[in-house]
């Protein structure tokens, strides 16, 4: 939920040789040597995305598509009612978007996460608790919120990479931006706030988006956190209008 666009850590375990020897001896005694590798080969346990390279830690707004282009971003889902409807509208106009997901929501609805990925959209980490005061919390709290959500989303997606991080309410800190970037997630801002979470009418959402488009390419909508019927209807009107104005659709730069 957009409230504002706000401002701007290891333990190394050392195993003793005696413990290792004892563990190996015990494993051999029970005939289970190599069972861990076998479990991995058989796909037992949660899948994790392959290690990714760090990305730029600055907050991105620009599109990766040249020319007159917009980035559609969808926050606070996935939601079993509204995410499928948003996906249907995006498909109708052949538009790809970035879905900024809440970790527990993704964990609860892995089918929707996989559906988002299968449709060619990209994933964004929107934390565990959607705390818009994260910039006033400890680094350990920020780390837990960001990295636990990333794992939940990637596991729900079957290992697809989370490519962006959006702080709730824009409550970025230098630490959170650096942490996200080190884990392959570009901090993601916005230029156009549809204010669809504030209620009002479909016409009001339309007017807000049209009026703010000169601010930049990244547009913020929501598919979670409440009744998003107005968002669905507004997207169904705005996307063809944007295309008529000569806009194309890309993804935020990484």
């Amino acid at each position: 939920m957009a409230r504002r666009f706000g401002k701007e850590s290891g333990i190394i375990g050392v195993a003793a040789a005696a413990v290792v020897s004892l563990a190996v001896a015990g494993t051999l005694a029970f005939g289970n040597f190599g069972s861990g590798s076998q479990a991995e080969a058989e796909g037992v346990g949660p899948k994790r995305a392959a290690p990714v390279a760090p990305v730029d830690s600055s907050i991105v707004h620009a599109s990766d598509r040249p020319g007159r282009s917009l980035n559609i971003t969808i926050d606070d889902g996935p939601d079993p009612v509204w995410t499928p409807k948003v996906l249907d509208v995006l498909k109708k106009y052949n538009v790809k978007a970035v879905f900024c997901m809440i970790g527990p929501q993704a964990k609860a609805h892995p089918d929707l996460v996989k559906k988002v990925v299968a449709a060619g959209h990209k994933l964004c980490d929107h934390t565990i608790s959607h705390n818009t005061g994260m910039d006033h919390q400890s680094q350990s709290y920020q780390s837990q919120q960001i990295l636990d959500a990333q794992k939940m989303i990637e596991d729900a997606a079957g290992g697809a990479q989370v490519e962006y991080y959006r702080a709730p309410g824009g409550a970025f800190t230098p630490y959170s931006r650096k942490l996200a970037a080190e884990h392959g997630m570009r901090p993601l801002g916005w230029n156009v706030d549809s204010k669809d979470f504030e209620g009002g009418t479909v016409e009001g959402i339309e007017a807000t988006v049209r009026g703010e488009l000169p601010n930049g390419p990244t547009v913020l909508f929501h598919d979670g956190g409440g009744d998003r019927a107005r968002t669905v209807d507004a997207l169904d009107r705005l996307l063809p209008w944007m295309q008529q104005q000569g806009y194309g659709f890309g993804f935020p730069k990484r």
Side-chain angles (χ1 to χ4, degrees):
M1 184 181 302
R3 294 284 190 247
R4 59 190 175 86
F5 190 71
K7 54 191 177 182
E8 330 231 333
S9 223
I11 300 175
I12 303 176
V14 180
V19 175
V20 173
S21 299
L22 183 59
V24 171
T27 301
L28 289 170
F30 285 93
N32 290 327
F33 186 75
S35 61
S37 298
Q38 180 180 354
E40 288 179 8
E42 294 174 352
V44 178
K47 296 180 180 179
R48 295 305 311 275
V52 294
V55 294
D56 192 329
S57 65
S58 64
I59 299 171
V60 67
H61 302 86
S63 177
D64 64 0
R65 181 183 180 277
R68 194 171 172 84
S69 184
L70 298 173
N71 306 318
I72 302 299
T73 65
I74 314 289
D75 283 18
D76 294 0
D79 181 275
V81 174
W82 305 114
T83 301
K85 295 180 184 296
V86 169
L87 286 171
D88 286 346
V89 174
L90 293 170
K91 181 179 180 179
K92 181 178 178 179
Y93 300 106
N94 193 30
V95 174
K96 305 304 180 187
V98 176
F99 282 76
C100 299
M101 297 184 174
I102 305 295
Q105 286 293 108
K107 183 176 181 179
H109 304 289
D111 55 324
L112 291 178
V113 182
K114 291 179 176 69
K115 188 173 182 179
V116 165
V117 172
H121 306 291
K122 292 187 180 292
L123 301 174
C124 172
D125 179 337
H126 206 33
T127 75
I128 293 290
S129 303
H130 199 281
N131 182 353
T132 58
M134 272 189 63
D135 52 341
H136 300 297
Q137 301 297 323
S138 68
Q139 291 185 355
S140 62
Y141 176 89
Q142 295 176 56
S143 177
Q144 178 264 333
Q145 287 283 315
I146 295 168
L147 299 185
D148 284 6
Q150 181 186 25
K151 183 181 186 304
M152 286 182 182
I153 298 166
E154 288 181 346
D155 286 351
Q161 183 185 354
V162 175
E163 298 189 33
Y164 304 93
Y165 164 64
R166 174 173 276 165
F172 290 100
T173 66
Y175 173 79
S176 68
R177 290 190 290 105
K178 182 174 183 290
L179 179 72
E182 287 174 346
H183 287 80
M185 299 181 289
R186 182 75 186 265
L188 175 59
W190 65 84
N191 308 106
V192 180
D193 182 355
S194 68
K195 296 185 173 59
D196 56 346
F197 63 88
E198 292 184 354
T201 65
V202 174
E203 291 77 14
I205 296 171
E206 282 188 272
T208 297
V209 171
R210 293 188 189 198
E212 291 192 9
L213 275 185
N215 294 346
T218 302
V219 189
L220 170 63
F221 296 97
H222 298 80
D223 65 339
D227 185 335
R228 298 301 175 215
R230 289 179 296 272
T231 300
V232 174
D233 289 345
L235 277 169
D236 202 15
R237 298 186 188 188
L238 282 165
L239 295 180
W241 175 82
M242 290 168 173
Q243 291 170 333
Q244 290 165 8
Q245 304 306 304
Y247 287 104
F249 299 91
F251 292 114
K253 286 185 176 180
R254 296 236 314 137

